[in-house]
Amino acid sequence: MDSDYGVPRELSEVQKKRALYQPEVPPCLQGTTVRVEYGDAAIAADQAGAHVISHAFPHTYGQPLAHFLRKTAVVLDAKVISEHPVVRVGIVFCGRQSPGGHNVVWGLYEAIKAHNQNSKLIGFLGGSDGLLAQRTLEITNEVLASYKNQGGYDMLGRTKDQIRTTEQVNGAMASCQALKLDALVIIGGVTSNTDAAQLAETFAEAKCATKVVGVPVTLNGDLKNQFVETTVGFDTICKVNAQLISNVCTDALSAEKYYYFIRLMGRKASHVALECALQSHPNMVILGEEVAASKLTIFDITKQICDAVQARAEKDKNHGVVLIPEGLVESIPELYALLQEIHGLHGKGVSVENISSQLSPWASALFEFLPPFIRKQLLLHPESDDSAQLSQIETEKLLAQLVETEMNRRLKEGTYKGKKFNAICHFFGYQARGALPSKFDCDYAYVLGHVCYHIIAAGLNGYMATVTNVKSPVNKWRCGAAPISSMMTVQRWSRGPSATQIGKPAVHMASVDLKGKAYDVLRQNSSRFLLEDVYRNPGPLQFEGPGADSKPISLCVEDQDYMGRIKKLQEYLEKVKSIVKPGCSQDVLKAALSAMSSVTETLNIMTSSSTGQTAL
């Protein structure tokens, strides 16, 4: 065992009490019998790319949904698994640490041991690097003791490296075969689960016995689709950040002379910024999705903030709080284009010192306009997934500087009558990343760990553990599994007047839905947030008492439970089949034909309009 991993932690009194908390599991996961009902074959929501996806994943695309059932459920064609042979399961943290990750390990360990005491859970040390190098640690109760309901990934360690190249995929397969693993569980976000799908496909093609299972764990909250309502870590990150933001809001209201520009983690999607705004009520939040949809330039955004400052000054308010998502820089058209040029020059091997001299004239002009600190940050080498180092680009300082310059101009011209503009900038990122997980994330992660065992017991490969209806109490959660390939999309983009390129199928990050209910709540309150100081402090994370059982606002306002609705639809279809049989009356047959014809026509129009195809 590597001496840096699995070492017992020295726990505070609060941590010790947290470690004693035992998450519950829904009825469908209780007992020692696994009951699974298979639905229809799952297809990709991206119907236009379905052919590309099915071609790339011939062994793992089109597999059925799996629903895990409680003991009392009466389903005739459910598969009942009561025999549980010894299994060897590997587990690895991929991607950035997210609060609650340790509870996935704990939940899986307890499920494995509950079904067969001789089964083993083997953790890979140091993430995907440890997987390839076969550095392992057997998970035991003793190892888990000081990591239950705690933050971080330090029990096993992690890496942001991907398992994508042929050499890496083959190396992962060799490790699984050498260790005789029945399954490999990959914990991570969109990139890690895309890699998990590719591993599952490659293993199936090579007839490798190891099954691959993915778990949705990412603080960004951007692994969202019809099967995944939220990710482990998102609730914690938002609660911790919301409290920090609220503290700053109270300070701004008390001092009455500062504008705070706060940048939040979240990569390219603005889910964290949206949720934190709903929880803490800052004066402004600029979502990347809004900026991209409206094609706002850096000057448009600056003017928008300046106008807000001026409107507040007219109400004798010379303070405020502005939230900015980490990925905003990539949503601003001219800055994104500049980043693309810089990225292209990096790819050609141009040194950092020479990049600025090789930019196109317009890009060079924009680059020279930007402050020196931003220029330096834009030139940083891309991340391992080829994206910009967004956490290092201080967009909040850039905006604060541009707003200060414009407000000083307005003050000098006499068009602004308020006080001198003073800005303070913060980046709330790493403070929350290692936080103790919320009660919801502890429960959710632990349950997902149990779901992983059910997937393994059912012999499924290339699936992601899913839990839906999570805004309800735990005893009403629905547990199942969906093929990762059915969550994939194919990104398309154009270069030139007619050239269209099709990217590889992947689980892509979901943007904030500007037609969704959570965004609508924000927009309904935006004027009130802007002009009135209705700051709200949700307080620190609680495990009991007021606020302990609260869940993300953006999760609770949505009406999701996709898996539950799919199951309900199947029940209705079965009822129709049982009622409308040869020999039924003409009236029953006519009513069924009329209703089904109307439903089919409506669905045909809806699906064809979403894919841009002509209705049949």
Side-chain angles (χ1 to χ4, degrees):
M1 177 182 103
D2 289 26
S3 58
D4 293 339
Y5 299 113
V7 176
R9 289 172 160 181
E10 182 177 337
L11 303 181
S12 68
E13 293 305 310
V14 169
Q15 286 179 295
K16 287 176 184 176
K17 189 167 184 180
R18 289 174 64 95
L20 296 175
Y21 172 69
Q22 177 67 49
E24 62 177 304
V25 295
C28 60
L29 301 178
Q30 294 172 7
T32 55
T33 299
V34 172
R35 297 164 59 84
V36 56
E37 177 191 11
Y38 294 104
D40 294 329
I43 61 170
D46 176 18
Q47 291 187 31
H51 175 71
V52 178
I53 299 168
S54 61
H55 183 74
F57 295 87
H59 298 86
T60 53
Y61 181 76
Q63 298 188 96
L65 292 182
H67 304 272
F68 298 116
L69 309 175
R70 63 178 66 199
K71 188 177 181 181
T72 55
V74 180
V75 178
L76 295 178
D77 57 352
K79 182 180 180 182
V80 179
I81 304 167
S82 53
E83 296 295 323
H84 298 277
V86 172
V87 292
R88 290 172 58 84
V89 179
I91 191 164
V92 59
F93 287 125
C94 292
R96 291 168 177 81
Q97 58 267 37
S98 188
H102 284 144
N103 272 31
V104 178
V105 183
W106 180 23
L108 177 55
Y109 171 80
E110 293 217 331
I112 283 175
K113 291 297 184 179
H115 290 86
N116 192 315
Q117 275 292 333
N118 295 319
S119 293
K120 294 189 182 300
L121 180 60
I122 297 161
F124 286 99
L125 302 176
S128 57
D129 287 346
L131 170 62
L132 300 177
Q134 298 181 35
R135 293 197 302 271
T136 63
L137 166 67
E138 183 180 342
I139 305 299
T140 63
N141 254 324
E142 290 70 32
V143 169
L144 281 165
S146 61
Y147 293 92
K148 297 174 180 178
N149 304 316
Q150 311 297 327
Y153 273 11
D154 50 311
M155 181 174 71
L156 297 176
R158 43 73 66 176
T159 176
K160 63 184 179 182
D161 295 333
Q162 301 170 356
I163 313 170
R164 185 154 299 176
T165 67
T166 302
E167 182 182 3
Q168 290 169 336
V169 170
N170 289 339
M173 183 159 60
S175 294
C176 291
Q177 290 173 326
L179 295 167
K180 298 180 180 177
L181 297 184
D182 296 286
L184 174 67
V185 175
I186 293 179
I187 294 175
V190 290
T191 301
S192 302
N193 278 283
T194 297
D195 293 347
Q198 187 58 63
L199 279 181
E201 178 65 28
T202 304
F203 286 14
E205 184 176 5
K207 293 184 170 52
C208 172
T210 308
K211 312 297 184 186
V212 182
V213 178
V215 190
V217 181
T218 170
L219 57 87
N220 303 325
D222 55 7
L223 203 178
K224 290 178 71 174
N225 52 55
Q226 62 271 42
F227 305 107
V228 182
E229 294 179 1
T230 188
T231 56
V232 173
F234 178 72
D235 180 56
T236 303
I237 290 295
C238 293
K239 281 190 169 81
V240 172
N241 277 330
Q243 191 207 355
L244 293 172
I245 293 162
S246 300
N247 294 347
V248 169
C249 288
T250 302
D251 186 70
L253 186 60
S254 303
E256 295 186 300
K257 61 180 179 179
Y258 298 116
Y259 269 86
Y260 289 90
F261 286 70
I262 300 172
R263 180 166 51 101
L264 300 169
M265 294 187 81
R267 303 294 293 159
K268 298 177 184 179
S270 307
H271 297 288
V272 173
L274 172 60
E275 178 63 28
C276 287
L278 293 175
Q279 289 196 28
S280 59
H281 303 177
N283 300 107
M284 284 188 76
V285 55
I286 300 169
L287 303 181
E289 290 83 352
E290 285 182 312
V291 171
S294 301
K295 295 182 170 57
L296 299 180
T297 66
I298 188 72
F299 302 107
D300 293 330
I301 298 169
T302 300
K303 182 179 183 302
Q304 197 176 83
I305 298 173
C306 288
D307 290 347
V309 170
Q310 192 153 340
R312 285 179 59 76
E314 290 170 4
K315 288 182 168 287
D316 202 27
K317 296 177 185 289
N318 295 289
H319 60 274
V321 178
V322 182
L323 300 190
I324 299 163
E326 186 179 47
L328 181 64
V329 65
E330 288 200 336
S331 300
I332 301 169
E334 68 272 25
L335 290 183
Y336 178 69
L338 174 59
L339 276 170
Q340 289 294 93
E341 274 206 31
I342 291 171
H343 183 272
L345 292 171
H346 273 305
K348 292 177 181 177
V350 178
S351 66
V352 170
E353 295 76 18
N354 295 326
I355 283 179
S356 60
S357 64
Q358 296 194 31
L359 292 170
S360 63
W362 77 265
S364 181
L366 175 60
F367 188 77
E368 290 303 317
F369 163 78
L370 296 171
F373 72 91
I374 284 287
R375 289 184 223 157
K376 184 177 180 181
Q377 292 160 7
L378 292 176
L379 292 174
L380 291 170
H381 280 279
E383 301 270 19
S384 59
D385 63 355
D386 279 345
S387 63
Q389 291 197 42
L390 298 177
S391 63
Q392 304 301 315
I393 300 175
E394 298 172 306
T395 322
E396 75 283 10
K397 289 187 178 179
L398 171 63
L399 284 174
Q401 187 169 313
L402 292 175
V403 170
E404 183 175 8
T405 301
E406 172 60 15
M407 294 315 297
N408 287 340
R409 185 191 67 78
R410 293 185 185 188
L411 190 63
K412 189 175 180 181
E413 290 181 351
T415 55
Y416 168 58
K417 306 295 184 182
K419 294 181 180 178
K420 186 178 184 298
F421 182 84
N422 295 300
I424 297 176
C425 298
H426 290 294
F427 172 44
F428 289 167
Y430 304 108
Q431 302 98 318
R433 203 164 70 177
L436 294 171
S438 67
K439 184 170 179 282
F440 171 70
D441 275 330
C442 288
D443 290 340
Y444 186 37
Y446 182 81
V447 169
L448 282 170
H450 275 261
V451 174
C452 286
Y453 175 76
H454 277 58
I455 294 172
I456 294 163
L460 304 177
N461 179 41
Y463 278 71
M464 187 185 294
T466 65
V467 180
T468 59
N469 198 35
V470 292
K471 68 180 182 182
S472 299
V474 174
N475 62 3
K476 293 184 178 179
W477 288 4
R478 303 185 205 275
C479 301
I484 303 175
S485 57
S486 66
M487 304 177 190
M488 291 184 162
T489 54
V490 180
Q491 288 194 338
R492 298 165 182 77
W493 63 95
S494 295
R495 300 240 175 114
S498 59
T500 298
Q501 295 193 7
I502 298 180
K504 290 183 178 180
V507 180
H508 289 108
M509 59 184 66
S511 300
V512 167
D513 182 3
L514 299 183
K515 295 180 180 178
K517 292 183 180 179
Y519 178 74
D520 189 50
V521 172
L522 178 68
R523 289 280 61 84
Q524 288 177 18
N525 289 280
S526 58
S527 295
R528 190 167 65 98
F529 289 178
L530 176 62
L531 297 175
E532 303 173 33
D533 295 334
V534 289
Y535 305 139
R536 175 180 181 271
N537 197 323
L541 285 177
Q542 302 291 332
F543 244 46
E544 55 188 35
D549 294 312
S550 66
K551 294 170 183 176
I553 295 171
S554 53
L555 171 68
C556 293
V557 299
E558 296 290 352
D559 189 15
Q560 297 176 316
D561 193 17
Y562 182 87
M563 297 285 273
R565 287 176 173 175
I566 281 283
K567 200 165 184 306
K568 180 63 71 176
L569 175 63
Q570 289 173 338
E571 290 171 4
Y572 278 125
L573 293 175
E574 288 301 321
K575 284 182 181 178
V576 171
K577 286 182 182 178
S578 66
I579 296 170
V580 187
K581 290 183 176 179
C584 68
S585 71
Q586 281 280 12
D587 289 341
V588 169
L589 182 58
K590 284 179 182 178
L593 281 172
S594 176
M596 295 305 287
S597 174
S598 176
V599 168
T600 304
E601 186 176 346
T602 301
L603 295 177
N604 190 33
I605 292 170
M606 289 177 67
T607 54
S608 38
S609 62
S610 67
T611 59
Q613 296 173 348
T614 305
L616 298 176

